Amino acid sequence: MVACSALKREFRDRFRHLGVDVWFVYLALDRELAAERIARRKGHFMPPELLGSQYDMLNPLQADEPGVTLDASGSTAHVVAAALHAMAGPER
């Protein structure tokens, strides 16, 4: 299992073209909630000023891409549990 910020489809395509079994978990979160969460963080590597550019380049997971889209607005524990459940599910 590997985690990365493959915001653009072209980045995800590169992983798929490696010939390995790749399956994505896309964490969907609206920009306003992301901004609120970033504002509460202390000492994080990503400055709040970069949020807009990250969302501007974001290409959500498409129906023809292997993976699942999850609502990331819940607690960290809830989102992690949903991701683990999805990765272990029959569609995976």
Side-chain angles (χ1 to χ4, degrees):
M1 184 177 347
V2 175
C4 70
S5 177
L7 299 175
K8 291 186 169 198
R9 183 181 176 126
E10 70 181 85
F11 301 158
R12 297 187 300 270
D13 287 345
R14 289 180 189 177
F15 283 108
R16 281 192 292 278
H17 288 120
L18 291 175
V20 295
D21 182 25
V22 179
W23 197 78
F24 298 98
V25 176
Y26 174 75
L27 302 177
L29 186 65
D30 78 22
R31 191 183 293 222
E32 292 76 24
L33 183 52
E36 289 175 23
R37 289 179 176 180
I38 288 172
R40 290 193 305 256
R41 291 193 244 189
K42 302 289 184 232
H44 195 270
F45 68 91
M46 184 181 147
E49 300 81 33
L50 291 181
L51 180 64
S53 66
Q54 298 293 289
Y55 270 88
D56 290 345
M57 75 165 44
L58 178 63
N59 302 138
L61 196 63
Q62 300 298 302
D64 65 332
E65 293 184 271
V68 65
T69 297
L70 298 177
D71 176 3
S73 64
S75 69
T76 301
H78 177 78
V79 174
V80 168
L84 291 173
H85 178 74
M87 288 187 292
E91 66 278 353
R92 175 65 188 112

